[in-house]
Amino acid sequence: MASVPRLSRAQLSATWRGPLDVPRTPLDRRTLQRETWLVLGVSLGASAIYAVLSIMRRLADNRPLNQQASQLNVSQAAQAWLDLLYQLADIALALVPVLLVFHLLRREMPSPASYLGLDRSRLKPDIALGAGLAALVGIPGLGLYLVARAAGLNTQVVASDLGDHWWSLPILVLSAVQNAVLEEVIMIGYLFTRWTQAGWRLPQILIVSALIRGSYHLYQGFGGFVGNIAMGLLLGLVYARTRRVLPLVITHALLDTVAFVGYALLHNHVSWL
């Protein structure tokens, strides 16, 4: 297998007029597109296929969607220590596609993390932007979930079913961070870079990425599908403007942490959860 020519710093700094002014690449359009679909096939694209099958199965059920449940962060073993090992393994293995993406990009650029905006060079502004976006997305997102569920278009999302262990809340936080890193690095940073290099226009990139994001949330129902498309469009526009993935990871991690931990703490006390 022929190696990919590594671009020099001078070549990396020479951008072309794509929608995001990405670095030039020695890879041709077909190779770039094939690479992205393969990455999706071993990560979130596979999740989208299973989510589509899941919603088909749910629609074939005699019960309305709002009488069905989608379970996240479920216990996987009766023994607490073994369950913890399962949870840690799931979190670690789910991040392998992120490492794959870094490996693929590193063949052409010295630091994919810095290029994608995952470094700490703008940590305080990234935290502020991420927190602001979480507030902007979180409140309408909760409202959409409640409306969609009341209308019979969404399942009840059981965000945590780990039981009462000393490690349950830390695992929920780690799971939230894992989801955020996986989704934002691949769906935004990597795909926006590769599809721009392949000659796609920004509206096309935004829409396809957001549709895939919505699709792998279809297991929740149509509220989750629509809500995550909207979130994908918003985060994609923010990335196109800032060229930084870190604030998007912070946004996503905050949203999932509040959802997972909040459910674990409140579901026995709040009827609408």
Side-chain angles (χ1 to χ4, degrees), residues 195-253:
W195 284 343
T196 298
Q197 290 174 325
W200 291 30
R201 290 187 280 185
L202 183 57
Q204 181 183 10
I205 296 171
L206 281 166
I207 292 170
V208 174
S209 175
L211 284 173
I212 296 172
R213 185 190 293 261
S215 296
Y216 59 73
H217 287 91
L218 264 172
Y219 68 92
Q220 299 177 8
F222 297 105
F225 175 67
V226 172
N228 278 279
I229 288 176
M231 178 177 167
L233 291 172
L234 174 63
L235 297 188
L237 287 170
V238 171
Y239 177 74
R241 182 174 180 83
T242 65
R243 297 303 307 280
R244 294 193 60 78
V245 169
L246 183 57
L248 312 184
V249 170
I250 292 169
T251 297
H252 197 145

Side-chain angles (χ1 to χ4, degrees), residues 81-198:
W81 63 270
L82 185 56
D83 195 5
L84 174 59
L85 292 179
Y86 265 106
Q87 303 300 329
L88 292 172
D90 283 348
I91 290 169
L93 292 174
L95 291 174
V96 171
V98 175
L99 299 179
L100 173 61
V101 162
F102 287 161
H103 169 74
L104 293 170
L105 293 177
R106 191 173 286 116
R107 295 179 301 171
E108 303 168 43
M109 58 184 68
S111 177
S114 296
Y115 171 75
L116 296 177
L118 276 169
D119 59 338
R120 297 190 295 173
S121 62
R122 291 176 48 83
L123 187 58
K124 289 183 179 179
D126 285 344
I127 292 173
L129 178 57
L133 287 170
L136 179 64
V137 173
I139 296 174
L142 177 59
L144 176 62
Y145 164 71
L146 294 175
V147 170
R149 186 176 161 195
L153 298 174
N154 215 83
T155 63
Q156 176 189 3
V157 178
V158 179
S160 173
D161 189 20
L162 291 179
D164 186 17
H165 306 291
W166 65 265
W167 47 262
S168 295
L169 294 186
I171 283 293
L172 291 175
V173 174
L174 286 176
S175 179
V177 173
Q178 171 255 299
N179 287 344
V181 172
L182 174 66
E183 293 187 38
E184 305 314 325
V185 169
I186 291 181
M187 298 309 304
I188 300 293
Y190 169 71
L191 290 182
F192 276 50
T193 298
R194 284 309 203 203
W195 284 343
T196 298
Q197 290 174 325

